Amino acid sequence: MPVQAAQWTEFLSCPVCYNEFDENVHKPISLGCSHTVCKTCLNKLHRKACPFDQTAINTDIDVLPINFALLQLVGAQVPDHQSIKLSNLGETKHYEVAKKCAEDLVLDLKPQSGDKGVASLNQSALSHPMQRKLVTLVNCQLVEEEGRVRAT
Ligand SMILES: [Zn+2]
Ligand SMILES: [Zn+2]
């Protein structure tokens, strides 16, 4: 159904500039409040806070990792190794675990056929409320403590 497809794809583009996320100019960056905005728009913010709910962004924008799970959903090239600079080893470990979970979720979200991408998500075995829930989880910012708590 077209209406549901539209609801689905709203997760795949930046809610500020309406461009679809990609691996170059519109890298998806998820914030602690679970909003995801492209990096270009984040860099244009006058103050470091979510443009939707004014949640303060405590981490430097250049340090916030790209939401690779979302990038995978739009079919962009995802580099195998991303450098994440976290304050200590424990944090990094938490992040890796959470990131793995998010990537597993994305695999569940992807349609079995795979080749038609987003358009064929309607054929996914998952119900739409379930897809929505999973996308919400994928949108959690895993680096900031608050985001991780949300994801569990
Ligand atoms: Zn944007
Ligand atoms: Zn927000």
Side-chain angles (χ1 to χ4, degrees):
M1 280 186 241
V3 174
Q4 286 180 328
Q7 286 173 347
W8 168 258
T9 51
E10 77 194 27
F11 296 109
L12 303 177
S13 47
C14 172
V16 178
C17 64
Y18 301 107
N19 286 297
E20 189 171 278
F21 292 124
D22 61 41
E23 70 271 43
N24 299 312
V25 183
H26 304 105
K27 297 187 181 80
I29 311 277
S30 295
L31 307 174
C33 55
S34 300
H35 284 113
T36 302
V37 180
C38 82
K39 188 161 184 176
T40 303
C41 290
L42 275 184
N43 280 324
K44 280 190 230 159
L45 293 177
H46 294 298
R47 59 193 198 91
K48 282 177 67 181
C50 171
F52 299 99
D53 53 28
Q54 312 305 320
T55 302
I57 302 168
N58 300 315
T59 312
D60 196 73
I61 286 166
D62 284 324
V63 177
L64 283 172
I66 298 153
N67 191 326
F68 284 98
L70 260 184
L71 266 187
Q72 269 174 274
L73 279 177
V74 297
Q77 285 298 316
V78 180
D80 283 339
H81 299 285
Q82 60 166 316
S83 56
I84 43 162
K85 291 165 258 170
L86 295 183
S87 43
N88 62 60
L89 212 70
E91 285 280 289
T92 310
K93 229 184 167 119
H94 282 309
Y95 174 75
E96 290 296 336
V97 171
K99 177 170 165 281
K100 179 81 176 63
C101 290
E103 281 169 0
D104 288 346
L105 285 178
V106 168
L107 290 182
D108 284 342
L109 278 169
K110 281 199 165 178
Q112 300 305 321
S113 61
D115 53 0
K116 281 187 186 141
V118 175
S120 53
L121 272 169
N122 284 330
Q123 292 150 24
S124 168
L126 294 168
S127 66
H128 276 273
M130 191 61 191
Q131 287 183 4
R132 235 169 211 283
K133 174 105 180 103
L134 291 183
V135 170
T136 308
L137 290 179
V138 167
N139 272 318
C140 289
Q141 175 48 258
L142 305 171
V143 167
E144 291 186 351
E145 191 69 41
E146 194 200 344
R148 275 203 302 274
V149 170
R150 246 174 240 254
T152 49

